[in-house]
Amino acid sequence: MTDKNDQSSRGGIFAGEDPVALASEWLAEAEATEPVDANAMSLATVDAGGVPNVRIVLLKEIEQAQKGGGFLFYTNYESAKGQELAASGQAAGLLYWKSLGRQVRLRGPVSREDGAKADAYYRSRPLGSRHGAWASHQSQEIASREQLITRVSEIERRFGDNPPRPPHWGGYRIIPLEIEFWANGEYRLHDRFRWTRSAPSGLWNIARLSP
C-alpha cells in the first residue's frame, strides 16, 4: 500500500525550493480548513535564568524575500516576551493545524519591525484594541480589572478615535535558520523534512527526519 503522504522524493505537499514560500502555502491551505485562527503560533522564548516560556501569538505575515524571509507578529515590547526577545535575540515558533494534520516549526534570530509597516498594522486594528495597547502594561501585576478599564477610559479621552501607535508596541520577525515541515502519517509514521541554513542569506540544506 502506498501512503498518500509518502514524500521520499520530497514531492506532493513538501515540494518546492523555498521553505518560506512553502510555509505560506501551508498557511493558506489551513485558513480554509481551520475553524479559528489558522495563524495562531506558539512562540517560545527563554528568560534571564534560562527557563523557557511559551505562549500563543497571531502570525500576521510571512515575508518572502524581504529580510531573509520573516515570520512577523506584533506585541508589547515591554512584556515578558518582549524583554526576553530583546535579551536573547532568538525565538522559536510552531504552527499546528489539526484539520490538515500538519505543523511547521521554526527557529532563528529576531528583529524588530518598528517602522511604517508596524504603523500600518496598528491603524488596521479595531479601535478598542488600539486603545488597549496603550492601556495595558502587559505582563505586569495589576490590582483589578476595574483598574484596567479605568486606564482604557483615560486613553479614550486622551486620544479619541485616532490614537498613534504606542512607542512600546510594534512588531518582531523571526528570521528562520531552521524550518521543519511535519505531516501526520498512519501508525505514527510521520513525514518530516528539516531545512537549515547558517545565516539569513545562506543556502538551505534539506534532510528527511525519522518520525
Side-chain angles (χ1 to χ4, degrees):
M1 181 178 69
T2 302
D3 189 332
K4 66 179 181 180
N5 281 330
D6 182 11
Q7 308 297 330
S8 56
S9 60
R10 209 173 51 78
I13 61 173
F14 293 98
E17 300 306 317
D18 179 354
V20 178
L22 183 57
S24 293
E25 293 172 11
W26 281 28
L27 176 57
E29 287 186 61
E31 287 171 342
T33 60
E34 284 292 297
V36 180
D37 292 339
N39 63 332
M41 180 174 73
S42 299
L43 175 73
T45 57
V46 176
D47 69 15
V51 180
N53 266 325
V54 66
R55 76 289 284 166
I56 299 292
V57 298
L58 294 180
L59 177 65
K60 288 301 179 179
E61 184 180 355
I62 300 178
E63 301 167 318
Q64 298 304 311
Q66 181 184 13
K67 297 183 183 296
F71 289 68
L72 183 62
F73 62 94
Y74 293 86
T75 190
N76 186 315
Y77 294 143
E78 297 174 355
S79 66
K81 61 181 171 293
Q83 294 181 49
E84 291 165 6
L85 289 167
S88 72
Q90 303 284 332
L94 168 67
L95 294 155
Y96 171 67
W97 304 294
K98 186 174 182 179
S99 62
L100 296 177
R102 301 183 204 171
Q103 67 180 16
V104 175
R105 299 172 58 227
L106 56 133
R107 299 195 297 169
V110 297
S111 67
R112 273 196 190 190
E113 174 51 65
D114 203 25
K117 182 175 285 192
D119 291 337
Y121 173 66
Y122 179 79
R123 289 193 298 269
S124 76
R125 304 180 84 210
L127 180 59
S129 296
R130 284 179 277 158
H131 286 148
W134 277 98
S136 174
H137 299 166
Q138 193 175 104
S139 302
Q140 296 182 24
E141 292 186 9
I142 189 169
S144 66
R145 182 170 181 82
E146 287 70 25
Q147 183 178 353
L148 178 61
I149 298 304
T150 298
R151 288 178 182 170
V152 172
S153 297
E154 292 170 351
I155 294 299
E156 290 172 344
R157 290 193 295 270
R158 178 181 175 186
F159 292 118
D161 293 342
N162 191 30
R165 179 171 62 89
H168 58 263
W169 190 97
Y172 279 104
R173 60 172 53 82
I174 305 174
I175 304 172
L177 299 183
E178 178 180 326
I179 305 180
E180 181 187 319
F181 296 87
W182 175 100
N184 184 54
E186 193 173 10
Y187 306 119
R188 302 193 65 79
L189 298 178
H190 313 307
D191 287 296
R192 299 172 61 189
F193 286 93
R194 182 180 63 201
W195 300 62
T196 56
R197 59 185 176 180
S198 58
S201 60
L203 297 177
W204 289 102
N205 296 305
I206 311 166
R208 174 185 271 274
L209 304 182
S210 174

